[in-house]
Amino acid sequence: MAHTVGIKEVARQAGVSVGTVSNVINRPHMVAEETRQRVQEAIAELGYVRSESARQLRAGQSRIIALLVLDMGNPFFVDVASGAERVARASKLGVMLCNSAQSTSEESDYLSLFAEQRVRGVLVTPADMSGRNLADFRRHGIPFVFVDRVLPSAEGCSVSVNDVLGGTLAVRHLLEQGHTSVAYVSGPMSLKQCQDRKEGAVAALAEAGLGEDALRHVEAERLDVASGRDAGARLLGMPARPSAVFCANDLLALGVLQALFAAGVGVPDEVALVGYDDIEFAAAAAVPLTSVRQPAVRMGRQAAELLLEETGEDAGLHRHQRIVLDPELIVRQSSLAARR
């Protein structure tokens, strides 16, 4: 095993006390320049690196916040992480980024890891709709903020997007293009985001005097491109194929687009298509994708700001907040051919 150089060895090499080495590392202004230089030379020669975890334990405050997302393969969560990381970096903090893969058991394992590591706080997009995982985590007294989901209680902060409105915007647009036969391709309906986007879609149909049965629902196993291709094949196999499709995220929509292209079905001439999230790839698709844009970077930034406020010097003044942002429909070629 590699030998880890300790502070005692640095002190021995430099011919000073352990306390002097500690002062050079943490309070260099308290040490004479000649002594400070001798200690720094010993540190460089021995390759000493201080134990940040030990320092954090002594100080009682970690410099790491954790971010637990549903799927790091989704560029939406990459943007969320980017916003959170900028805030953390400005405060000289690091971000531990983890992926639950939409699994409640993996989410539970990561939350246990965060508690063991005594992270400063957690930003989490929950996979467990029952709330049991977070209920167990609360016992550790580590603050957390929900991201892309409204916290159902007043025991913490959340930053989310109005997904009901997003679903309404998507299907209202398709109806305005002349479509009356619409399909909704969702991920697992155990996810609140998928539920809310469907609720919005049904609301748009109701505005047009259509019932919920006018919406054909295809539930995919996951929110990824492969699941979108499978959903596209299922749509193609329907006896009366819908003329428009709204997908719960852009990865699903891109998969549906691939399936339609492979079958020779034109988009938007034969089937109009709308996604959700407005990831970078949406505009760059073979047919530029209409999508409901979520302010992902802003969401990550505001969630991190709330967490740092709750764990900072003025934590006693912190009040929990539920921030709900509005989405925006970005119209591109994939949905612009009017149908009956």
Side-chain angles (χ1 to χ4, degrees):
M1 291 181 63
H3 172 64
T4 301
V5 176
I7 195 171
K8 291 182 180 178
E9 291 168 273
V10 174
R12 189 181 307 116
Q13 177 82 0
V16 298
S17 69
V18 169
T20 298
V21 176
S22 177
N23 283 336
V24 170
I25 295 170
N26 298 298
R27 295 170 291 277
H29 62 280
M30 297 179 62
V31 184
E33 182 178 351
E34 180 183 350
T35 304
R36 185 169 67 244
Q37 183 175 348
R38 193 163 71 248
V39 171
Q40 289 170 341
E41 288 173 353
I43 287 173
E45 183 178 339
L46 295 172
Y48 168 78
V49 178
R50 71 174 177 176
S51 171
E52 182 62 21
S53 59
R55 189 198 69 79
Q56 291 172 7
L57 287 175
R58 289 193 298 272
Q61 180 74 80
S62 172
R63 293 180 59 240
I64 299 294
I65 63 174
L67 172 58
L68 180 58
V69 301
L70 291 176
D71 181 11
M72 273 309 300
N74 187 339
F76 165 75
F77 287 112
V78 176
D79 289 342
V80 170
S82 176
E85 191 274 338
R86 291 177 196 175
V87 171
R89 184 176 178 83
S91 297
K92 301 189 184 326
L93 301 176
V95 177
M96 179 193 300
L97 179 58
C98 300
N99 177 26
S100 72
Q102 303 173 39
S103 164
T104 58
S105 61
E106 290 191 35
E107 177 181 85
S108 176
D109 290 343
Y110 274 123
L111 290 172
S112 296
L113 174 65
F114 300 157
E116 291 171 6
Q117 295 297 316
R118 303 186 190 182
V119 298
R120 184 188 187 105
V122 177
L123 306 175
V124 56
T125 303
D128 177 23
M129 286 289 291
S130 73
R132 285 191 295 268
N133 285 343
L134 269 299
D136 291 341
F137 184 71
R138 277 193 184 95
R139 296 180 300 178
H140 300 287
I142 298 174
F144 60 87
V145 176
F146 272 18
V147 184
D148 195 30
R149 170 95 177 275
V150 176
L151 187 65
S153 70
E155 298 179 17
C157 293
S158 62
V159 182
S160 62
V161 165
N162 186 341
D163 282 320
V164 175
L165 174 60
T168 300
L169 292 174
V171 174
R172 182 187 290 156
H173 167 70
L174 291 171
L175 295 170
E176 289 171 350
Q177 297 300 305
H179 298 278
T180 56
S181 175
V182 181
Y184 172 54
V185 176
S186 74
M189 288 302 284
S190 58
L191 297 175
K192 188 68 163 59
Q193 295 92 330
C194 293
Q195 296 174 15
D196 287 349
R197 292 166 197 179
K198 181 181 180 183
E199 181 182 338
V202 171
L205 291 169
E207 288 178 357
L210 299 171
E212 185 174 351
D213 56 354
L215 187 72
R216 313 278 286 278
H217 183 196
V218 175
E219 182 175 356
E221 290 186 5
R222 300 180 61 80
L223 288 159
D224 57 22
V225 174
S227 295
R229 284 195 295 267
D230 176 69
R234 291 157 67 186
L235 289 168
L236 289 166
M238 289 181 176
R241 189 176 67 215
S243 67
V245 180
F246 165 46
C247 296
N249 78 354
D250 287 341
L251 297 182
L252 286 172
L254 292 173
V256 170
L257 182 63
Q258 290 177 7
L260 295 175
F261 267 28
V265 176
V267 175
D269 293 335
E270 295 179 80
V271 175
L273 187 61
V274 176
Y276 205 105
D277 290 339
D278 195 34
I279 62 176
E280 183 178 356
F281 301 126
V287 178
L289 183 66
T290 294
S291 185
V292 178
R293 176 179 293 170
Q294 297 201 79
V297 173
R298 180 182 171 191
M299 201 182 309
R301 185 178 68 245
Q302 290 194 267
E305 287 171 348
L306 288 172
L307 187 63
L308 297 190
E309 179 184 287
E310 188 173 355
T311 60
E313 294 180 357
D314 297 325
L317 301 176
H318 174 79
R319 296 294 179 268
H320 293 321
Q321 298 181 54
R322 294 184 189 179
I323 298 175
V324 180
L325 307 174
D326 283 340
E328 175 187 6
L329 182 70
I330 306 300
V331 178
R332 299 190 181 95
Q333 184 181 344
S334 71
S335 64
L336 284 180
R339 292 283 294 174
R340 56 189 176 276

